Amino acid sequence: AQSVTQLDSHVSVSEGTPVLLRCNYSSSYSPSLFWYVQHPNKGLQLLLKYTSAATLVKGINGFEAEFKKSETSFHLTKPSAHMSDAAEYFCVVTLPTPNTGNQFYFGTGTSLTVIP
Amino acid sequence: GAVVSQHPSWVICKSGTSVKIECRSLDFQATTMFWYRQFPKQSLMLMATSNEGSKATYEQGVEKDKFLINHASLTLSTLTVTSAHPEDSSFYICSARGSTGGGQPQHFGDGTRLSIL
């Protein structure tokens, strides 16, 4: 079985304070994990990816995520929120499939609001 | 690198019209392209997966005769919504991947907002 759960549908933080967006996964395989960000009426932009190398992954725009196998988590963090971080964030896990390589499974998304 | 261009970004047309959306990988060869549909405030719903030169694999519940997908080259896939009706109005997003390796991310276009009157 394969699934990904984003625990919060909406997170609000004040500008300059830390951001934590939570993601848990279940997988029978060693997963590849990704975080994407989507601004309104835009496609998805890759923030960072975990592919069985270092467990602490650094991404763009100051974001990072830590893969914790014991907790089956891949939470996204940023030390200090910026107004431009307000967007929808998706956690994604991949599962190998016979014909198309790896299929992506999307979380339901977390909407981040940054309060000035 | 890894830029995906999707065109058009916005379409408004009358009911019964067929609409074609293009997805191009600009700086890499896309062995696999994906088409998603996204409803407001929701996650992406995979519609179909296409490999270059092969027929697309459609997800359950997606009408293949309604949503025609062509992936004739390693840099271009098209989605044609045939005889579109108001219920087809949505945000359609394509993505492309350069290889089938487990760690390879998908690279997304900017989406197409389709509004059927």
Side-chain angles (χ1 to χ4, degrees):
Chain A
Q2 176 90 26
S3 69
V4 56
T5 302
Q6 290 184 242
L7 297 161
D8 306 296
S9 59
H10 189 88
V11 170
S12 291
V13 300
S14 296
E15 188 177 17
T17 64
V19 175
L20 170 63
L21 304 182
R22 298 184 292 168
C23 174
N24 285 90
Y25 69 92
S26 63
S27 174
S28 304
Y29 304 86
S30 296
S32 291
L33 296 155
F34 307 85
W35 275 99
Y36 285 85
V37 60
Q38 183 181 32
H39 289 92
N41 292 309
K42 290 290 188 179
L44 276 67
Q45 180 184 19
L46 179 66
L47 281 177
L48 48 80
K49 64 178 182 180
Y50 167 77
T51 56
S52 74
T55 57
L56 181 62
V57 181
K58 294 187 182 300
I60 62 172
N61 301 336
F63 284 95
E64 61 182 40
E66 186 171 8
F67 174 71
K68 292 186 176 180
K69 187 174 181 178
S70 61
E71 299 177 10
T72 61
S73 69
F74 189 58
H75 301 334
L76 182 70
T77 60
K78 181 173 180 176
S80 175
H82 192 273
M83 294 299 295
S84 60
D85 294 328
E88 190 81 15
Y89 291 80
F90 292 97
C91 181
V92 179
V93 62
T94 65
L95 171 70
T97 53
N99 298 320
T100 57
N102 290 272
Q103 183 157 337
F104 272 34
Y105 291 86
F106 286 81
T108 51
T110 298
S111 177
L112 176 64
T113 298
V114 181
I115 303 166
Chain B
V3 177
V4 174
S5 174
Q6 188 172 341
H7 179 80
S9 57
W10 202 294
V11 180
I12 302 175
C13 59
K14 294 181 179 180
S15 184
T17 306
S18 291
V19 179
K20 179 185 282 187
I21 303 170
E22 290 189 350
C23 182
R24 295 180 184 272
S25 58
L26 297 185
D27 53 359
F28 68 103
Q29 292 186 324
T31 55
T32 308
M33 286 187 167
F34 305 84
W35 287 95
Y36 295 87
R37 185 172 180 175
Q38 186 179 32
F39 293 100
K41 306 293 185 183
Q42 294 190 23
S43 187
L44 278 68
M45 181 188 78
L46 180 65
M47 298 174 66
T49 303
S50 72
N51 291 305
E52 184 265 338
S54 303
K55 288 186 177 180
T57 302
Y58 288 81
E59 296 299 302
Q60 191 172 10
V62 178
E63 299 176 59
K64 59 181 64 178
D65 294 331
K66 175 75 171 177
F67 299 99
L68 300 178
I69 291 172
N70 182 279
H71 190 171
S73 78
L74 283 171
T75 60
L76 174 64
S77 176
T78 60
L79 167 68
T80 301
V81 183
T82 62
S83 187
H85 292 284
E87 59 266 28
D88 299 322
S89 298
S90 192
F91 192 56
Y92 293 87
I93 306 176
C94 74
S95 72
R97 188 177 62 205
S99 72
T100 57
Q104 293 303 312
Q106 293 181 19
H107 303 284
F108 289 82
D110 273 347
T112 298
R113 175 74 58 192
L114 178 60
S115 297
I116 308 298
L117 305 178

